[in-house]
């Protein structure tokens, strides 16, 4: 389950986070599956709970940015 939080970790609504509330759930589900590929790991993520295609697409764009940043951090840790 996911929800929005402020900088201190306090739960806030999508509207308080500056996200249009239309189609964006206050609580949603993420499913994360990690698969060992032998020479690396594949991460597959599924999001659920969006009520409109626009909300889903915006979330996907933001999630892809987060995953790209995470990949860069992990790559920097590998010798």
């Amino acid at each position: 389950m996911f929800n929005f939080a402020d900088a201190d970790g306090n739960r806030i609504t999508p509207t308080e986070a500056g996200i249009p509330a239309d189609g964006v759930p206050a609580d949603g589900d993420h499913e994360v599956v990690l698969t060992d590929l032998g020479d690396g790991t594949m991460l597959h993520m599924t999001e659920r709970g969006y009520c409109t295609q626009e909300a889903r697409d915006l979330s996907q764009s933001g999630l892809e940015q987060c995953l790209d940043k995470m990949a860069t951090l992990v790559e920097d840790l590998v010798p």
Side-chain angles (χ1 to χ4, degrees):
M1 176 161 307
F2 74 88
N3 51 53
F4 293 89
D6 64 17
D8 296 320
N10 300 306
R11 186 178 174 152
I12 59 175
T13 66
T15 303
E16 291 170 322
I19 308 289
D22 184 37
V24 178
D27 294 306
D29 290 317
H30 282 160
E31 177 183 350
V32 178
V33 177
L34 300 172
T35 304
D36 183 355
L37 301 176
D39 63 343
T41 303
M42 180 176 63
L43 182 149
H44 179 87
M45 182 176 289
T46 303
E47 294 184 293
R48 294 181 184 88
Y50 294 95
C51 301
T52 67
Q53 183 174 346
E54 179 182 18
R56 184 208 62 207
D57 291 349
L58 287 171
S59 180
Q60 180 178 348
S61 176
L63 180 58
E64 288 171 352
Q65 291 175 28
C66 291
L67 292 173
D68 288 345
K69 290 176 183 178
M70 185 175 73
T72 299
L73 290 171
V74 171
E75 288 169 358
D76 289 346
L77 296 175
V78 177

